Amino acid sequence: MAEARGCSREKAEEALERVMVAKALDQTQMLAIIEQLGEIQPNLVVLDNLSIPFMPMFTNNNLAAAFAAGSRVVQALRKISTATYPPPAILTTSNLRSGRDLEPAPALGGVFRGLADTRVLMSRVDATTLQADIVRGLTGSCNYSLGKLGVT
């Protein structure tokens, strides 16, 4: 994608060399990884599909543990944003479909309450168009497409 936008292969590879990836299979691993981020002082933190490590607690009907673990994750992320200067941008995603009143389902809205300053609900309009609606924070909506050049 970077090359399609006119960036040289060398510059694209140089940028990719700065990317660090960690995979957490449960909430304990996720918390340990987040706590290590303060030492690295990143510019951007992306937690892709934040809900997956917590799903076993829901399927085993252990909501108290899910809320406790979720609270620790939120606190650790807030600690990173206050301990580093400038604070990193933190992007979290969840692939769960929204439930009643646009809250994440099942019950993860309560687990991660206070994590997001802005919450965006992304949905497919048709075969080529997607829509992003801000459902927490300032209001807004836009349609977009994903293609060879990225988001348009």
Side-chain angles (χ1 to χ4, degrees):
M1 188 180 310
E3 289 179 48
R5 290 185 174 231
C7 183
S8 71
R9 177 176 289 276
E10 293 79 26
K11 284 274 191 190
E13 288 176 4
E14 181 182 311
L16 285 174
E17 287 175 6
R18 295 191 313 246
V19 174
M20 299 172 80
V21 177
K23 185 173 183 176
L25 300 176
D26 62 30
Q27 75 283 354
T28 305
Q29 290 177 356
M30 179 183 286
L31 186 59
I33 291 166
I34 292 169
E35 289 172 343
Q36 292 174 10
L37 292 174
E39 300 167 15
I40 299 169
Q41 298 190 342
N43 294 323
L44 172 66
V45 175
V46 178
L47 293 172
D48 186 27
N49 213 351
L50 177 66
S51 34
I52 292 297
F54 295 87
M55 290 311 295
M57 289 181 271
F58 287 100
T59 57
N60 293 328
N61 207 18
N62 197 349
L63 295 178
F67 277 90
S71 176
R72 286 191 296 273
V73 166
V74 171
Q75 290 172 16
L77 288 169
R78 293 228 180 261
K79 185 176 179 182
I80 292 168
S81 66
T82 59
T84 59
Y85 186 82
I90 299 175
L91 171 67
T92 61
T93 69
S94 176
N95 294 340
L96 293 176
R97 301 207 182 266
S98 66
R100 188 180 34 183
D101 298 325
L102 299 178
E103 289 297 314
L108 291 178
V111 171
F112 298 114
R113 181 169 289 126
L115 174 62
D117 294 323
T118 303
R119 185 173 289 162
V120 180
L121 176 64
M122 301 163 92
S123 55
R124 183 169 294 284
V125 174
D126 58 38
T128 59
T129 306
L130 297 113
Q131 181 173 337
D133 296 303
I134 298 176
V135 295
R136 180 177 179 188
L138 299 174
T139 59
S141 180
C142 72
N143 288 341
Y144 63 98
S145 296
L146 296 175
K148 202 175 200 179
L149 296 178
V151 178
T152 56

